[in-house]
Amino acid sequence: GNHSVPKETNNMAGQLMLHCGGEQTTLENLGAIELPQATASYCPIPHQDLVRLTDDRIRKEFPGVELEWEHGTNKEGAQYFGVATLQIDNDDMGMSIALRNSYDKSLSAGFAAGASVFCCDNLALSGSSFTKMRKHTTNAWKDMKGMVYAAMIDVEEHYLDMKTTMIGMREVDVET
């Protein structure tokens, strides 16, 4: 297809809702937001690093995937929300992965995935397959890396299960 025109998001894809003062942003702008000081009990996770880690894992797990990111921040960048929409196998079914993070301890780092993901700047984060959260305490980044790696394997299994179900549904005769 023509890659210069952004594809319209179908109803299966994830979506980023920003209505509580949040605004859309870019990956580059995320890197410009000042990271708070780490303390003995608090370990901030850079928004940009979380996105890059997730993006990297998606591309390793689904080679050749078409991937579209949407990024949003709230409270002058203290809160981050992002949704990656994956188009796999030129299928009409997409997968979505949502991320959230904060620099003001207002919410834990979160990761959700599924056929339908809903990520909103009023702190709601849900996925049809699973949701993982991690507080910004000691070793948060190391643990988050492990969570994202493990989650990608779950995403792939969930996607294959959904695909099998969808194929099965297409083959069912509906009596009118």
Side-chain angles (χ1 to χ4, degrees):
N2 183 349
H3 292 288
S4 62
V5 180
K7 279 203 315 254
E8 256 191 53
T9 312
N10 62 31
N11 292 337
M12 295 292 283
Q15 63 229 79
L16 181 65
M17 299 248 330
L18 296 169
H19 57 72
C20 300
E23 49 195 43
Q24 284 206 290
T25 188
T26 64
L27 184 60
E28 291 69 40
N29 288 347
L30 292 177
I33 300 165
E34 196 177 333
L35 194 67
Q37 273 311 121
T39 65
S41 61
Y42 172 72
C43 173
I45 296 172
H47 301 327
Q48 206 177 34
D49 290 0
L50 186 58
V51 173
R52 286 199 171 120
L53 170 74
T54 306
D55 188 272
D56 185 57
R57 289 312 307 167
I58 292 169
R59 291 178 195 282
K60 281 193 171 81
E61 214 55 50
F62 300 99
V65 69
E66 263 189 65
L67 188 55
E68 271 178 52
W69 277 96
E70 281 181 277
H71 306 286
T73 56
N74 203 356
K75 299 189 177 177
E76 279 133 40
Q79 295 180 336
Y80 165 74
F81 305 90
V83 176
T85 304
L86 292 68
Q87 206 58 47
I88 306 164
D89 305 333
N90 282 328
D91 208 351
D92 54 8
M93 188 176 79
M95 284 289 291
S96 296
I97 291 166
L99 297 175
R100 74 173 206 189
N101 194 30
S102 74
Y103 288 169
D104 61 0
K105 304 180 192 173
S106 61
L107 59 150
S108 54
F111 181 100
S116 58
V117 169
F118 190 72
C119 183
C120 178
D121 69 347
N122 68 5
L123 315 188
L125 181 61
S126 66
S128 64
S129 60
F130 58 88
T131 304
K132 297 179 187 297
M133 301 287 179
R134 177 66 167 83
K135 285 194 168 136
H136 295 84
T137 49
T138 317
N139 295 325
W141 177 237
K142 197 180 99 197
D143 291 355
M144 199 68 196
K145 277 177 152 168
M147 279 168 53
V148 170
Y149 284 14
M152 280 306 147
I153 293 158
D154 293 348
V155 167
E156 191 166 24
E157 286 174 9
H158 181 68
Y159 173 74
L160 294 171
D161 288 349
M162 280 185 349
K163 197 168 172 173
T164 305
T165 303
M166 293 289 284
I167 290 165
M169 289 168 104
R170 286 185 196 130
E171 291 168 357
V172 172
D173 284 330
V174 178
E175 300 211 7
T176 51

